[in-house]
Amino acid sequence: MSFRHSYLALPIALLAACGPAKTDRPSRTEEGAKGPVTVAIAPYAGGPLKVSNAGVGPINGAMAFDLATLKVLFPKAKVEQAFLHSSDGPARPIITIEQDNTPLAEIGKSDDGEIAYVRVEAGDARGPKDEQLLAKWGDLGFTLDQCRAGAGREINMTICVRPDAPQVSYVFGVPGWTKAGLPSEGVLKAKGQLNALIWRPVEGAVVGAA
C-alpha cells in the first residue's frame, strides 16, 4: 500500500480541538475503562489538494491551530509558524504549509485559538466542484447575487460563495480593477479569474453574498 493511501491514527490529545466524541453509547462508568480513543485521518502526501465544505485536505473543523498536528497531517511538507503583518492591526499568527517548493496553504488563528481559515492560492488546489485556480469566473457558473466586493486583504477582489458550499469563499481577481464595489457581470466574464480558495469553519463561514 502506498503512503498516499495509508491512514494514520492521531491521538485525540494531539488534535487538541477535538472534544469528547458525541455518542449514544453508555458512559465509561457503565462500560468499564477503555483504552485511548484515536481518530483515523489520511495525511496529505501529494497530488490535488481538495477544498470542500468539510475542510482542506486532512484539515477539518475539529482541528486545532496546532503546529505539531499539522506536521503530522502534512508529513512531506515544510510546516512553519509565522506572522501575517497588515496595516490595519497587529501581526497575526499563522501557520504556512509548503511542499515541493510550492505554498500549499496559509492557516489563520482565531481569537479563541482555533483555526480561523485555511487559504489556498497556489499549487494543484481543487474546489468543491473540482474547480482549479486561475479558472475563469464565467466558466464556474456564478451569478452576481452570489458575490460581493472584497475588503481588507481582498480589496478590489470579488468574493463568491456557492449556496451548497457556504464555508468556501472563491476569491476572484480582475486585472486592473481598482474601483469601489463589485465589477459588472460583463467585466467578470471577460477578466475575472480564480486567485484563491478560502475555507472557514462553520462559525466563521460567510453565507451567501453577505
Side-chain angles (χ1 to χ4, degrees), residues 136-200:
K136 301 301 183 183
W137 185 88
D139 295 336
L140 299 187
F142 284 106
T143 57
L144 278 182
D145 62 354
Q146 296 172 328
C147 303
R148 58 183 172 85
R153 188 176 178 183
E154 280 81 43
I155 190 72
N156 299 328
M157 301 286 187
T158 296
I159 314 300
C160 301
V161 178
R162 295 192 187 282
D164 56 353
Q167 290 170 240
V168 179
S169 296
Y170 296 71
V171 182
F172 291 91
V174 174
W177 182 263
T178 58
K179 301 177 183 179
L182 198 64
S184 68
E185 183 174 346
V187 169
L188 284 169
K189 283 185 175 180
K191 298 182 178 181
Q193 67 177 28
L194 183 60
N195 289 347
L197 293 162
I198 303 174
W199 172 83
R200 292 180 176 86

